[in-house]
Amino acid sequence: MYAKLPVILAFVCYLMFMIGIGMYFYGKNRTTTEYFLGGRKLGSWVVSMSAQASDMSGWLLMGLPGAAYLSGISAGWIAIGLGIGTYLNWLFVAKRLRQYTKVAGDAITLPQFFKNRFRDHSGMVSVIAAVFILIFFLFYTASGFVSCATLFSSVFGISYVAALIIGAVVVISYTFAGGFFAVCWTDFFQGLLMFFCVLAVPTIAIKSMGGFSPFLNQVNDFNPNFLNMFVDGQTNVPYTTIGIISLVAWGFGYFGQPHILVRFMGIESPDAIKKSRRIATIWVVISLTAAVLIGVSGRMFLGDILLEGTKQEEIYITMVSKIFPIFIGGIFHSAILAAIMSTADSQLLVTASAITEDFYHNKIRPNASPMELMWVSRICVMAVAVIAAIIATDQNSTVLGLVSYAWAGFGAAFGPLVLCSLFWKRTNKFGAYAGIIVGGVTSIVWAQLSGGIFDLYEIVPGFCFGLIAIIIVSLLTPAPEPKIIAEFESYQTCKD
């Protein structure tokens, strides 16, 4: 245990810094708008780094490198899809969503935006949306806790369950205290740490092999298919069209991820979006490329020692332990914590906001005071985290598997409706009901099937069927009221 003290010290310093940020912002949240959206006061750098850090989660340093460790650069198809999706989301959705949520009753959550956008006085659309947010975020948050437990148990040799509890307590602590301000500012620093570490590890490993050209020669000698985007380097079987579409289709998911979309809603001005888009795109492209290189260089650097079970997702952890002195290694291991917490905290906050605003405030206590809603929100953060931690106790779960399921669910349930809400004025509340339900349910059911066409990633049929449902139902039901159309036609002029 004494040999682990430098690593423990590095972890403690990092974690105390994160919790300190949460404590700093504790007294700055007087309303749910500030707790959930930071009062729309965040700048370009914080929003862009926070959005991308919360986007990537533990899979950036575990799931994706693990896939590349097994299959080579063909794992990069996911990265290509995510890179394209990131750019298009910032280009087509970010500014419009920031403007429309402000105009549509100053909505502070995605379900609340749908309710206000379609003048759904029954609140049914926000309730339906909140249900799917709860379902999918339980699995998404669980993926973060799995990453955390794997990290602590691998580095410190403690039990998986003990490691799981430690990680959950830390995330709950600063999310409970500081809300959106704390989450975004911790994500900003965590995004910087992740970026530095994901670049440094493969760079040092490749340099130790003599440089990039000798490294490529070594990979080619090991297995030429490891450098072939169209062949799975693990099985040496060419990818099918369905396989490639399934991997690239991860990009569709961006249009429906509540924890990313809420960042767009919180930026200080619509005019700041362009700068944020450039920062976010550069961060994503470089980080995803480096993550794939971690996996490929790790296979050459370490050999086949991580092929058993889900061990390949420990590739970054193992490489850091081999490359760096203990204390420096602790800092690099903290990058995994950064990736995990930057996503888990966002997911907890968005889930709590959906339950508080769209269930409790909307249906149970319409006259609840701001302080009451604040405390209900904090209790929800704790409750959701506990349930997600219970899901994460299954040690056979993989980070990539849990993320894949939740990512597809959100992309299918909300992606089509977000796009239609911003670009098609004929969309109505009935189409909104249909789109969320059809897209979300299709994703859930499709994921349980296998063989033939069902091997297609569930986000593709879920997104397509959800979009079709919105269009057909909206056209078969009454057109939106004139005041809804007028608001749609004017929202893009909002400068606030």
Short mmCIF file of all heavy atoms in Angstrom, two decimals, residues 251-256 408 410-417 419 435 438-440 442-443 458-470:
data_model
loop_
_atom_site.label_atom_id
_atom_site.label_comp_id
_atom_site.label_asym_id
_atom_site.label_seq_id
_atom_site.Cartn_x
_atom_site.Cartn_y
_atom_site.Cartn_z
N GLY A 251 -22.71 9.24 -35.15
CA GLY A 251 -22.83 10.68 -35.32
C GLY A 251 -24.26 11.19 -35.22
O GLY A 251 -24.50 12.34 -34.82
N PHE A 252 -25.25 10.35 -35.58
CA PHE A 252 -26.65 10.75 -35.48
C PHE A 252 -27.04 11.07 -34.03
O PHE A 252 -27.95 11.85 -33.78
CB PHE A 252 -27.57 9.63 -35.98
CG PHE A 252 -27.73 9.57 -37.47
CD1 PHE A 252 -27.28 8.47 -38.18
CD2 PHE A 252 -28.34 10.60 -38.16
CE1 PHE A 252 -27.41 8.40 -39.56
CE2 PHE A 252 -28.49 10.55 -39.54
CZ PHE A 252 -28.02 9.43 -40.24
N GLY A 253 -26.35 10.43 -33.11
CA GLY A 253 -26.74 10.54 -31.72
C GLY A 253 -26.64 11.94 -31.15
O GLY A 253 -27.35 12.29 -30.20
N TYR A 254 -25.74 12.77 -31.71
CA TYR A 254 -25.50 14.09 -31.14
C TYR A 254 -26.74 14.97 -31.08
O TYR A 254 -26.91 15.75 -30.15
CB TYR A 254 -24.42 14.81 -31.94
CG TYR A 254 -23.02 14.44 -31.51
CD1 TYR A 254 -22.26 13.57 -32.26
CD2 TYR A 254 -22.49 14.95 -30.33
CE1 TYR A 254 -20.99 13.20 -31.85
CE2 TYR A 254 -21.21 14.59 -29.92
CZ TYR A 254 -20.47 13.71 -30.68
OH TYR A 254 -19.21 13.35 -30.27
N PHE A 255 -27.61 14.83 -32.06
CA PHE A 255 -28.78 15.72 -32.13
C PHE A 255 -29.76 15.48 -30.98
O PHE A 255 -30.66 16.30 -30.78
CB PHE A 255 -29.50 15.54 -33.47
CG PHE A 255 -28.63 15.79 -34.67
CD1 PHE A 255 -28.45 14.82 -35.64
CD2 PHE A 255 -27.97 17.00 -34.81
CE1 PHE A 255 -27.65 15.05 -36.75
CE2 PHE A 255 -27.15 17.24 -35.91
CZ PHE A 255 -26.99 16.25 -36.89
N GLY A 256 -29.59 14.38 -30.25
CA GLY A 256 -30.56 14.07 -29.20
C GLY A 256 -29.98 13.88 -27.81
O GLY A 256 -30.67 13.39 -26.92
N ALA A 408 -27.69 5.47 -28.42
CA ALA A 408 -28.67 5.20 -29.45
C ALA A 408 -30.07 5.60 -28.99
O ALA A 408 -30.86 6.16 -29.77
CB ALA A 408 -28.65 3.70 -29.81
N PHE A 410 -31.03 7.95 -26.85
CA PHE A 410 -31.23 9.40 -26.89
C PHE A 410 -31.28 9.93 -28.32
O PHE A 410 -32.10 10.78 -28.66
CB PHE A 410 -30.10 10.11 -26.13
CG PHE A 410 -30.30 10.10 -24.64
CD1 PHE A 410 -29.30 9.63 -23.81
CD2 PHE A 410 -31.47 10.56 -24.08
CE1 PHE A 410 -29.48 9.62 -22.44
CE2 PHE A 410 -31.66 10.55 -22.71
CZ PHE A 410 -30.65 10.09 -21.88
N GLY A 411 -30.37 9.42 -29.15
CA GLY A 411 -30.35 9.87 -30.54
C GLY A 411 -31.65 9.59 -31.25
O GLY A 411 -32.15 10.42 -32.03
N ALA A 412 -32.24 8.42 -30.98
CA ALA A 412 -33.48 8.02 -31.65
C ALA A 412 -34.70 8.73 -31.06
O ALA A 412 -35.61 9.13 -31.78
CB ALA A 412 -33.65 6.51 -31.56
N ALA A 413 -34.73 8.88 -29.74
CA ALA A 413 -35.91 9.46 -29.09
C ALA A 413 -36.01 10.97 -29.29
O ALA A 413 -37.11 11.50 -29.50
CB ALA A 413 -35.89 9.13 -27.59
N PHE A 414 -34.88 11.67 -29.23
CA PHE A 414 -34.91 13.13 -29.24
C PHE A 414 -34.32 13.78 -30.49
O PHE A 414 -34.69 14.90 -30.83
CB PHE A 414 -34.18 13.67 -28.01
CG PHE A 414 -34.79 13.26 -26.71
CD1 PHE A 414 -34.02 12.73 -25.70
CD2 PHE A 414 -36.16 13.37 -26.49
CE1 PHE A 414 -34.58 12.33 -24.49
CE2 PHE A 414 -36.73 12.99 -25.29
CZ PHE A 414 -35.94 12.46 -24.29
N GLY A 415 -33.38 13.11 -31.16
CA GLY A 415 -32.72 13.70 -32.32
C GLY A 415 -33.68 14.19 -33.39
O GLY A 415 -33.63 15.37 -33.80
N PRO A 416 -34.60 13.34 -33.88
CA PRO A 416 -35.52 13.79 -34.93
C PRO A 416 -36.40 14.96 -34.48
O PRO A 416 -36.64 15.88 -35.26
CB PRO A 416 -36.37 12.53 -35.20
CG PRO A 416 -35.50 11.39 -34.79
CD PRO A 416 -34.73 11.89 -33.61
N LEU A 417 -36.84 14.93 -33.21
CA LEU A 417 -37.72 15.99 -32.73
C LEU A 417 -36.98 17.31 -32.57
O LEU A 417 -37.52 18.39 -32.86
CB LEU A 417 -38.39 15.59 -31.42
CG LEU A 417 -39.39 16.60 -30.85
CD1 LEU A 417 -40.48 16.92 -31.87
CD2 LEU A 417 -40.02 16.08 -29.56
N LEU A 419 -34.46 18.35 -34.37
CA LEU A 419 -34.28 18.90 -35.72
C LEU A 419 -35.59 19.44 -36.29
O LEU A 419 -35.62 20.54 -36.87
CB LEU A 419 -33.70 17.82 -36.64
CG LEU A 419 -32.27 17.37 -36.31
CD1 LEU A 419 -31.85 16.23 -37.23
CD2 LEU A 419 -31.28 18.54 -36.42
N GLY A 435 -42.95 11.01 -32.25
CA GLY A 435 -41.52 10.91 -32.53
C GLY A 435 -40.73 10.37 -31.37
O GLY A 435 -39.87 9.50 -31.54
N VAL A 438 -41.97 6.51 -30.67
CA VAL A 438 -41.57 5.58 -31.74
C VAL A 438 -40.05 5.43 -31.80
O VAL A 438 -39.52 4.33 -31.87
CB VAL A 438 -42.13 6.03 -33.10
CG1 VAL A 438 -41.53 5.19 -34.24
CG2 VAL A 438 -43.65 5.92 -33.11
N GLY A 439 -39.34 6.56 -31.76
CA GLY A 439 -37.88 6.50 -31.82
C GLY A 439 -37.29 5.78 -30.63
O GLY A 439 -36.43 4.90 -30.77
N GLY A 440 -37.74 6.13 -29.42
CA GLY A 440 -37.21 5.51 -28.21
C GLY A 440 -37.51 4.03 -28.10
O GLY A 440 -36.64 3.23 -27.79
N THR A 442 -38.38 1.95 -30.56
CA THR A 442 -37.69 1.22 -31.63
C THR A 442 -36.25 0.90 -31.23
O THR A 442 -35.76 -0.21 -31.43
CB THR A 442 -37.68 2.03 -32.94
OG1 THR A 442 -39.02 2.25 -33.38
CG2 THR A 442 -36.91 1.29 -34.03
N SER A 443 -35.57 1.89 -30.64
CA SER A 443 -34.19 1.68 -30.21
C SER A 443 -34.09 0.59 -29.16
O SER A 443 -33.21 -0.28 -29.21
CB SER A 443 -33.62 2.99 -29.67
OG SER A 443 -32.31 2.81 -29.19
N GLU A 458 -28.95 0.17 -33.54
CA GLU A 458 -30.34 0.53 -33.32
C GLU A 458 -30.64 2.02 -33.49
O GLU A 458 -31.80 2.41 -33.67
CB GLU A 458 -30.81 0.08 -31.94
CG GLU A 458 -30.03 0.63 -30.76
CD GLU A 458 -28.91 -0.30 -30.29
OE1 GLU A 458 -28.41 -1.11 -31.11
OE2 GLU A 458 -28.53 -0.21 -29.12
N ILE A 459 -29.62 2.87 -33.47
CA ILE A 459 -29.88 4.29 -33.65
C ILE A 459 -30.39 4.60 -35.06
O ILE A 459 -31.16 5.54 -35.25
CB ILE A 459 -28.60 5.12 -33.36
CG1 ILE A 459 -28.97 6.59 -33.16
CG2 ILE A 459 -27.59 5.00 -34.49
CD1 ILE A 459 -27.82 7.46 -32.71
N VAL A 460 -30.00 3.78 -36.04
CA VAL A 460 -30.40 4.04 -37.42
C VAL A 460 -31.90 3.83 -37.62
O VAL A 460 -32.61 4.76 -38.04
CB VAL A 460 -29.58 3.19 -38.42
CG1 VAL A 460 -30.04 3.46 -39.84
CG2 VAL A 460 -28.09 3.48 -38.28
N PRO A 461 -32.44 2.64 -37.31
CA PRO A 461 -33.89 2.49 -37.46
C PRO A 461 -34.67 3.37 -36.49
O PRO A 461 -35.73 3.89 -36.84
CB PRO A 461 -34.13 1.00 -37.17
CG PRO A 461 -32.95 0.57 -36.37
CD PRO A 461 -31.81 1.37 -36.90
N GLY A 462 -34.14 3.55 -35.27
CA GLY A 462 -34.84 4.38 -34.30
C GLY A 462 -34.96 5.82 -34.77
O GLY A 462 -36.04 6.44 -34.68
N PHE A 463 -33.88 6.38 -35.28
CA PHE A 463 -33.88 7.76 -35.79
C PHE A 463 -34.81 7.89 -36.99
O PHE A 463 -35.61 8.82 -37.07
CB PHE A 463 -32.46 8.16 -36.17
CG PHE A 463 -32.27 9.63 -36.45
CD1 PHE A 463 -31.78 10.48 -35.47
CD2 PHE A 463 -32.59 10.17 -37.69
CE1 PHE A 463 -31.61 11.84 -35.72
CE2 PHE A 463 -32.42 11.52 -37.96
CZ PHE A 463 -31.93 12.36 -36.97
N CYS A 464 -34.70 6.96 -37.92
CA CYS A 464 -35.52 7.03 -39.15
C CYS A 464 -37.00 6.88 -38.85
O CYS A 464 -37.84 7.66 -39.34
CB CYS A 464 -35.07 5.95 -40.14
SG CYS A 464 -33.41 6.20 -40.81
N PHE A 465 -37.36 5.88 -38.04
CA PHE A 465 -38.78 5.66 -37.71
C PHE A 465 -39.34 6.82 -36.89
O PHE A 465 -40.50 7.21 -37.06
CB PHE A 465 -38.96 4.34 -36.96
CG PHE A 465 -38.69 3.12 -37.80
CD1 PHE A 465 -38.43 1.90 -37.21
CD2 PHE A 465 -38.66 3.20 -39.18
CE1 PHE A 465 -38.18 0.77 -37.97
CE2 PHE A 465 -38.39 2.08 -39.97
CZ PHE A 465 -38.15 0.86 -39.35
N GLY A 466 -38.52 7.37 -35.99
CA GLY A 466 -38.96 8.51 -35.21
C GLY A 466 -39.24 9.72 -36.10
O GLY A 466 -40.24 10.43 -35.91
N LEU A 467 -38.35 9.97 -37.06
CA LEU A 467 -38.53 11.09 -37.98
C LEU A 467 -39.78 10.90 -38.84
O LEU A 467 -40.58 11.83 -39.03
CB LEU A 467 -37.30 11.22 -38.88
CG LEU A 467 -37.30 12.36 -39.90
CD1 LEU A 467 -37.41 13.71 -39.19
CD2 LEU A 467 -36.02 12.31 -40.76
N ILE A 468 -39.97 9.69 -39.33
CA ILE A 468 -41.16 9.39 -40.15
C ILE A 468 -42.43 9.58 -39.34
O ILE A 468 -43.43 10.14 -39.82
CB ILE A 468 -41.08 7.95 -40.71
CG1 ILE A 468 -39.94 7.85 -41.73
CG2 ILE A 468 -42.40 7.54 -41.34
CD1 ILE A 468 -39.63 6.42 -42.16
N ALA A 469 -42.40 9.14 -38.08
CA ALA A 469 -43.58 9.28 -37.21
C ALA A 469 -43.93 10.75 -37.00
O ALA A 469 -45.12 11.12 -37.03
CB ALA A 469 -43.32 8.59 -35.87
N ILE A 470 -42.93 11.59 -36.78
CA ILE A 470 -43.18 13.02 -36.58
C ILE A 470 -43.84 13.63 -37.81
O ILE A 470 -44.84 14.35 -37.70
CB ILE A 470 -41.87 13.77 -36.28
CG1 ILE A 470 -41.30 13.35 -34.94
CG2 ILE A 470 -42.10 15.29 -36.30
CD1 ILE A 470 -39.90 13.88 -34.68
#
